[in-house]
Amino acid sequence: MDKLTSMAVFAKSAELGSFAAAAQALEMSSQMVAKHVAALETSLGITLLNRTTRRQSLTDIGRAYYDRCKMVLAEVDAADSLAQEMHSQPKGLLRVSAPMTFGSFSLAPFVTRYLARYPEVKIDLSLSDRYVDPLEDGYEILIRIGELEDSSLIARPLAPYRLIACAAPSYLARHGAPEIPADLSLHDCLAYTYGASTIRCRWIFTQNDMTHEIEVNGRLRSDNWKALLHAATEGFGIILGPEDVMEPEIKAGRLVRILPDYVGPSRPMHVLYPSQRKPTAKIRSFIEALIDEFGTECLAREP
């Protein structure tokens, strides 16, 4: 028999003074109560209760064991209550992994707002463009850009990760604005790379179901998108960057969108989390807030 259950049955019997009363309180038969107590005594090799046909009483060892059982069962109840509370109220450490650029510019402000809303949650945010195995690395939530591979993870779609081309007013004043994607080959373009500077950089645009793929060149390449954004706002070239990052720069007048009649590259974006029967409150609340902020439905709210 389960020892913890037997301890609970024994404690209830000692508390109420009889097997019959314990059986009624626990909604089991008196015979089952007796079996639990007998199994406990057998495993311990001691007598916990002196029993007659009329009454029962705790032995000296039984009384000491009963006191300790109450402490153990109280700790079990406290552990269960804590688990239920953490499951129903966002609480504890949440480990999140996201791509570098999206995480730095878009996700980081969202995370601070989430933490302000849920003061009992802590977040360990890791930003990297490398592949992350959630089970091996211990992440509970991942954000991925691009096509998903087959996985045991649960995936929820976010708004597509769209790129637009922009340049600073000072650059356009000196070099003019490209009118069609092919004109980009005549301009300084700020290319994002993964550290391999010898790899050709191609930008893809579409218009009316026609695809325009252009090999771009420029004086500056980098695997750090923040460095490229700084160079763009300083007028050193044309940049192809995430729309949600570009918009504040455009509104501030530091950048101007070019080729507005062409659609830049767009890749699917998802939030993923390990399959569980029921996610904890911290995971559930983070995903719900994330989808509200970056989900596909947010496209309908755009002006």
Side-chain angles (χ1 to χ4, degrees):
M1 289 184 172
D2 176 73
K3 192 167 188 177
L4 194 61
T5 301
S6 295
M7 290 172 67
V9 172
F10 161 71
K12 185 62 69 175
S13 299
E15 177 187 335
L16 298 180
S18 72
F19 287 176
Q24 185 175 3
L26 297 172
E27 298 183 346
M28 63 174 61
S29 68
S30 297
Q31 292 79 5
M32 182 58 67
V33 171
K35 286 182 178 180
H36 274 290
V37 174
L40 200 57
E41 290 179 325
T42 299
S43 68
L44 295 171
I46 58 176
T47 299
L48 298 172
L49 287 168
N50 290 318
R51 298 181 289 278
T52 68
T53 55
R54 292 179 177 271
R55 61 188 297 271
Q56 70 178 35
S57 61
L58 288 166
T59 64
D60 289 342
I61 296 177
R63 186 171 301 281
Y65 191 73
Y66 167 67
D67 291 338
R68 187 66 66 173
C69 279
K70 288 195 298 182
M71 295 173 58
V72 170
L73 295 171
E75 286 297 320
V76 171
D77 287 342
D80 288 347
S81 296
L82 177 62
Q84 289 297 324
E85 183 181 359
M86 292 184 68
H87 197 275
S88 60
Q89 298 294 327
K91 180 183 295 187
L93 177 64
L94 183 63
R95 301 195 67 222
V96 180
S97 173
M100 180 67 73
T101 300
F102 174 78
S104 298
F105 287 88
S106 301
L107 187 63
F110 162 82
V111 165
T112 55
R113 291 194 298 272
Y114 175 86
L115 289 174
R117 183 178 177 185
Y118 299 105
E120 294 190 74
V121 176
K122 298 178 181 179
I123 291 181
D124 182 350
L125 177 61
S126 176
L127 303 181
S128 174
D129 291 327
R130 70 177 180 86
Y131 174 81
V132 172
D133 184 325
L135 299 180
E136 182 177 336
D137 297 328
Y139 291 104
E140 297 167 280
I141 292 180
L142 298 91
I143 297 172
R144 287 183 178 166
I145 297 172
E147 298 296 335
L148 294 177
E149 300 177 356
D150 291 337
S151 169
S152 61
L153 300 175
I154 297 175
R156 301 282 299 276
L158 301 176
Y161 193 70
R162 300 184 299 197
L163 306 181
I164 60 175
C166 297
S170 58
Y171 176 88
L172 298 176
R174 295 193 308 271
H175 302 282
E179 297 182 0
I180 58 174
D183 292 343
L184 291 170
S185 61
L186 305 175
H187 285 264
D188 275 326
C189 294
L190 302 165
Y192 180 82
T193 67
Y194 291 93
S197 59
T198 58
I199 297 178
R200 293 178 177 179
C201 182
R202 297 179 181 273
W203 291 356
I204 299 174
F205 297 85
T206 58
Q207 184 190 55
N208 300 327
D209 296 327
M210 292 186 60
T211 300
H212 306 265
E213 184 173 342
I214 303 90
E215 183 174 333
V216 298
N217 295 284
R219 298 170 57 200
L220 176 62
R221 305 179 129 205
S222 177
D223 61 356
N224 186 295
W225 206 86
K226 194 170 185 178
L228 295 178
L229 180 61
H230 174 75
T233 57
E234 291 294 311
F236 280 89
I238 296 174
I239 191 171
L240 184 68
E243 185 174 31
D244 62 335
V245 178
M246 297 286 95
E247 286 298 334
E249 302 295 328
I250 294 172
K251 290 179 180 178
R254 290 185 289 269
L255 292 177
V256 175
R257 182 173 181 178
I258 62 172
L259 301 173
D261 297 329
Y262 294 84
V263 178
S266 177
R267 291 186 289 169
M269 184 165 64
H270 294 82
V271 55
L272 301 95
Y273 58 98
S275 176
Q276 301 178 17
R277 186 169 64 178
K278 191 173 182 181
T280 59
K282 63 180 180 179
I283 293 177
R284 189 169 60 251
S285 63
F286 189 90
I287 291 174
E288 289 172 355
L290 191 73
I291 291 175
D292 185 61
E293 180 96 3
F294 301 106
T296 53
E297 63 269 21
C298 74
L299 296 177
R301 299 198 298 264
E302 294 181 359

